[in-house]
Amino acid sequence: MTMGHRIAILALLIAFGTPISGKADEIDDYIATQMRRLHIPGVSLAIVRDGRVIKAQGYGFANFELKAPARKETAYEIGSNTKQFTAAAIMMLVEEGKVHLEDPITKYLPEAPQAWRGITIRHLLTHTSGIQNHVAVPDWLDIFRTNLKFETAPPRDELLKMFFKLPLEFQPGETWAYDNTGYYLLGIVIEKASGKSYWQFLDERIFKPLRMNATRNTDPQPIVPNRASGYEWKNDHFENRPVLLPVIAFSAGSLLSTAEDMAKWDAALYTEKLLKKSSLDQMWTAALTKDGADAPFNYGFGWFVDSYHGHRLVQHSGGTPGFSSVIYRFIDDKLTIIILTNHADRILDQLAIDLAGIRSPPLKRPAASPDPDPKTTTMLKDVVSGLLNGKYEAESFTPAMRIFLGTATGKAFWKWFAEHGELGSFVFSDRENRGDCQVVRYKVSLGGNSYWFSVAMTKEGKIAQIYWW
């Protein structure tokens, strides 16, 4: 490396506000590398072991224009990580007998269309209702504004009228498709069952008891201490993000929080301070289709549910314009990784697993090994290539997966991945048996960046799941 290269790298590290002294540990070095690779302005990180924070730190900038540093106290929009709080609120009401999981949604929304009559609270919690995800509708915000003739966010009543016009993409319980609409409706259920606003309920029942003093809704008007600014990387430069008003995402994705507050939330989930263990166990049990088959993603109530080489894992990611976040909880290891950033559309799951491996060697990704089945690898690469180009052979997938791929969410999911760039290498990493399926993992290159794909295949060779951690 020449002196010029050293100076250039040093300048870049300084620009991102990343630790560069000899005191920087392996995690600091890893975060610095990933921030450069993914063009992330700022990161706030918390690593929690046994409910105790063992590392909490900010890197880079909370506000690029002012060069305000990111800190452990920096507040970020956490997007869909809001859903775990919505699910917890529903389960509190279930414990009190005010809501039942098998209640039809029409009990709380009697004006809902006839097609929704078979949808229950459980279906909404597990993304198995069949209601089309309004966020996955192309140019959805522009469509809603045009139809409703509002220059800004429409009132809730008008938004609900639009929701009621969304098609039912499959019968309740037939498959799984991520659905922000369903979690928006759960916020209304919380309000009607509790007699309080969604925000008041969360504040009184979760945030105040846990002293999550920085967690609140994302309303852009109030002055919020330590609030980060959101950014997007366009070609070769950063741009300020568009604002997403709370009324649009509501109980599906409108919370602002800090790494410190999320660590308090994590610690509470190891206790019964908020919910009984039986309720938490329900939240962390993956839903099956009504035929008893695996859904396209393992999802409980507000959490993705998985295992990683025998280590039980619940996790979720979140994203709004200008922000991305993840929380990975390795339950049996009592290790949690929390990453909050001020850049949109960053896939942080890989970072969470890598950081877990640094802190706990049993969680480290297996070393590269020879591919035991190159034929399957070639087949799966062709399948992924087809999906990225909007094409696939239905016979390659399980029935539930076929339906999912035809939903608005399924189409948007692969379109979003395609925007990361052309598919390059597709390299075998490892595999493990899990119940009736075998999970095979690959390190995949998209647009020159590396990602991890996991594929669950049935004994008959059908693809039951494809996911990115």
Side-chain angles (χ1 to χ4, degrees), residues 187-188 190-201 204-205:
I188 297 174
I190 291 166
E191 293 187 335
K192 292 194 173 186
S194 70
K196 299 179 179 180
S197 76
Y198 172 76
W199 308 113
Q200 183 183 5
F201 188 90
E204 292 179 1
R205 299 293 298 276

Side-chain angles (χ1 to χ4, degrees), residues 25 40 53 61 100 128 140 161 234 255 333 349 363-364 369 373 379 389 416 447:
D25 63 15
I40 298 175
V53 177
F61 297 114
H100 297 88
T128 58
W140 67 274
K161 290 177 184 178
K234 296 293 183 68
L255 280 181
D333 301 84
D349 303 79
L363 295 172
K364 190 175 181 65
S369 58
D373 190 356
M379 181 271 290
N389 288 285
W416 173 69

Side-chain angles (χ1 to χ4, degrees), residues 102-121 123-124 129 131 164 168 170-172:
E102 308 313 323
D103 282 345
I105 185 60
T106 50
K107 175 179 177 180
Y108 305 93
L109 294 168
E111 68 276 28
Q114 182 66 33
W116 289 20
R117 301 294 161 179
I119 297 171
T120 65
I121 299 299
H123 288 134
L124 297 183
S129 70
I131 299 172
F164 292 158
L168 202 64
F170 53 86
Q171 291 303 304

Side-chain angles (χ1 to χ4, degrees), residues 200-322:
Q200 183 183 5
F201 188 90
L202 292 192
D203 193 52
E204 292 179 1
R205 299 293 298 276
I206 299 178
F207 304 150
K208 278 189 169 65
L210 299 184
R211 298 184 180 179
M212 296 174 65
N213 300 323
T215 304
R216 48 159 299 137
N217 73 51
T218 57
D219 188 343
Q221 291 187 325
I223 302 300
V224 177
N226 303 309
R227 191 201 297 244
S229 298
Y231 300 97
E232 295 179 352
W233 180 260
K234 296 293 183 68
N235 298 320
D236 60 353
H237 64 282
F238 287 105
E239 291 184 0
N240 287 307
R241 63 80 183 249
V243 174
L244 182 67
L245 296 176
V247 68
I248 297 295
F250 187 41
S251 47
S254 286
L255 280 181
L256 191 75
S257 193
T258 67
E260 285 189 323
D261 271 10
M262 292 298 287
K264 295 174 183 176
W265 164 244
D266 168 70
L269 294 176
Y270 288 109
T271 73
E272 293 189 283
K273 185 170 185 176
L274 298 177
L275 289 167
K276 297 176 182 177
K277 183 179 182 299
S278 58
S279 295
L280 293 170
D281 287 343
Q282 285 191 77
M283 292 175 67
W284 298 331
T285 299
L288 300 175
T289 69
K290 63 182 180 181
D291 296 327
D294 287 335
F297 284 83
N298 297 323
Y299 201 91
F301 300 170
W303 292 90
F304 287 94
V305 180
D306 207 349
S307 66
Y308 185 72
H309 292 287
H311 297 263
R312 196 157 55 115
L313 166 68
V314 295
Q315 55 86 8
H316 216 288
S317 59
T320 58

Side-chain angles (χ1 to χ4, degrees), residues 10 39 67 120 142 184 243 262 306 344 408 424 449 461:
L10 180 64
H39 304 292
K67 295 296 186 285
T120 65
D142 291 337
Y184 189 108
V243 174
M262 292 298 287
D306 207 349
N449 283 319

Side-chain angles (χ1 to χ4, degrees), residues 28-68:
D28 296 331
D29 294 338
Y30 175 81
I31 292 294
T33 299
Q34 298 306 316
M35 288 176 69
R36 292 193 299 272
R37 182 177 74 86
L38 298 172
H39 304 292
I40 298 175
V43 170
S44 291
L45 167 73
I47 300 178
V48 189
R49 173 79 84 171
D50 291 322
R52 184 176 63 88
V53 177
I54 58 176
K55 186 176 181 70
Q57 189 167 327
Y59 304 83
F61 297 114
N63 183 289
F64 228 0
E65 292 163 308
L66 299 176
K67 295 296 186 285

